Amino acid sequence: MNAELIQALKELEREKGIAFETILHGLEEALASAYKSSMRGPDEEEDETRDIRVYLDPDSGEMNAFLQHLDEDGAVVSEEPVEVSDDFKGRIAAQTAKQVILQKLRDAEREMTYEEFAGREGDVVTGIVQQDSHRYTLLDLGKVEALLPVQEQVPSEPYRHGERLKAYIVEVRKTSKGPQIIVSRTHPNLLRKLFEMEVPEIAEGIVEIKSVAREPGHRSKIAVSS
């Protein structure tokens, strides 16, 4: 670890918006875990009375490690500095830093994508059919894929790979793998939104849609007032 890495982390903060302290603490935790593993033999069980804490100087990048002694409740009783080999500081630390930075970048991209779609329930989006199965269809929305479950599909509609399709966002869920967007082709409000998009008088408020009734794939009715 060195000053060049610290500078790179600060550049990452400016360019990607990932807090410098977040990456630094993530590095400290990952390095502590790696150091603890290096202390243990291949057949040796983990000693629950000992732990490792790593501190990275936020200015110089200098790495210091401390052996912590724990009581039966896992609280730190005492700690003492331990020597870190040059090989660990160089090769292993560089590998660990690369893994942590890549993971933080993925996490940040997922969070940004979730923030972009969170609160957009009720919007109409256009996606490209990527996959169709008996359980669901996937729509590529550009940054993320949306899930069109079979219960939200129109039975008479074929969903061909590469076809562009409009769908109504029913729900946006936050998962460990990123946002999961659930869309519908049967929701009554899909028809309402499409009319609002396509009919200027409705978009301008001259004509108001009062109610929508749908039998997806068969018939639809709307009640309007002017």
Side-chain angles (χ1 to χ4, degrees):
M1 312 303 287
N2 51 41
E4 285 78 11
L5 175 64
I6 296 298
Q7 186 61 36
L9 297 186
K10 291 181 178 178
E11 287 288 339
L12 203 59
E13 181 179 44
R14 285 192 290 270
E15 293 177 4
K16 299 293 185 179
I18 309 173
F20 171 77
E21 291 78 10
T22 299
I23 305 181
L24 199 68
H25 291 158
L27 275 173
E28 289 174 336
E29 292 174 359
L31 287 168
S33 177
Y35 189 90
K36 190 175 181 180
S37 297
S38 70
M39 290 173 53
R40 193 170 64 246
D43 300 320
E44 186 179 347
E45 293 186 2
E46 184 174 340
D47 186 351
E48 295 185 354
T49 65
R50 299 191 305 170
D51 202 1
I52 290 292
R53 179 175 71 87
V54 166
Y55 171 75
L56 295 174
D57 188 291
D59 297 316
S60 67
E62 180 64 28
M63 173 182 169
N64 292 287
F66 302 87
L67 176 63
Q68 297 181 323
H69 300 279
L70 313 177
D71 63 18
E72 59 183 14
D73 296 322
V76 178
V77 177
S78 63
E79 67 176 25
E80 59 194 66
V82 291
E83 185 177 349
V84 182
S85 68
D86 291 339
D87 180 59
F88 188 94
K89 286 184 178 180
R91 179 179 59 85
I92 299 176
Q95 292 173 352
T96 303
K98 181 179 179 181
Q99 292 169 357
V100 169
I101 290 170
L102 289 174
Q103 183 60 50
K104 293 296 181 184
L105 282 172
R106 285 193 290 267
D107 291 345
E109 289 172 356
R110 289 169 181 163
E111 185 63 27
M112 289 171 63
T113 303
Y114 173 76
E115 292 296 332
E116 181 180 338
F117 283 93
R120 287 189 60 188
E121 287 93 344
D123 283 359
V124 172
V125 290
T126 301
I128 299 175
V129 177
Q130 294 298 304
Q131 180 181 334
D132 187 20
S133 73
H134 66 283
R135 293 185 296 116
Y136 60 84
T137 295
L138 288 179
L139 297 182
D140 182 4
L141 303 183
K143 293 183 179 180
V144 67
E145 288 184 329
L147 192 68
L148 178 61
V150 66
Q151 63 268 25
E152 300 290 347
Q153 298 178 14
V154 177
S156 60
E157 282 186 346
Y159 301 115
R160 303 180 182 88
H161 185 274
E163 178 186 11
R164 296 180 68 85
L165 201 66
K166 291 187 184 296
Y168 181 85
I169 298 180
V170 177
E171 184 181 1
V172 179
R173 302 171 183 166
K174 191 172 188 177
T175 73
S176 59
K177 295 182 179 180
Q180 185 180 64
I181 301 169
I182 310 299
V183 296
S184 172
R185 285 284 296 171
T186 62
H187 200 285
N189 282 341
L190 173 62
L191 188 63
R192 180 190 296 269
K193 288 286 186 178
L194 291 176
F195 267 94
E196 290 174 355
M197 293 166 62
E198 300 295 336
V199 181
E201 290 80 2
I202 294 176
E204 294 169 7
I206 299 171
V207 175
E208 181 184 358
I209 298 177
K210 289 295 187 180
S211 63
V212 177
R214 284 190 72 191
E215 291 181 36
H218 298 285
R219 62 183 67 86
S220 299
K221 292 181 180 180
I222 63 171
V224 301
S225 67
S226 174

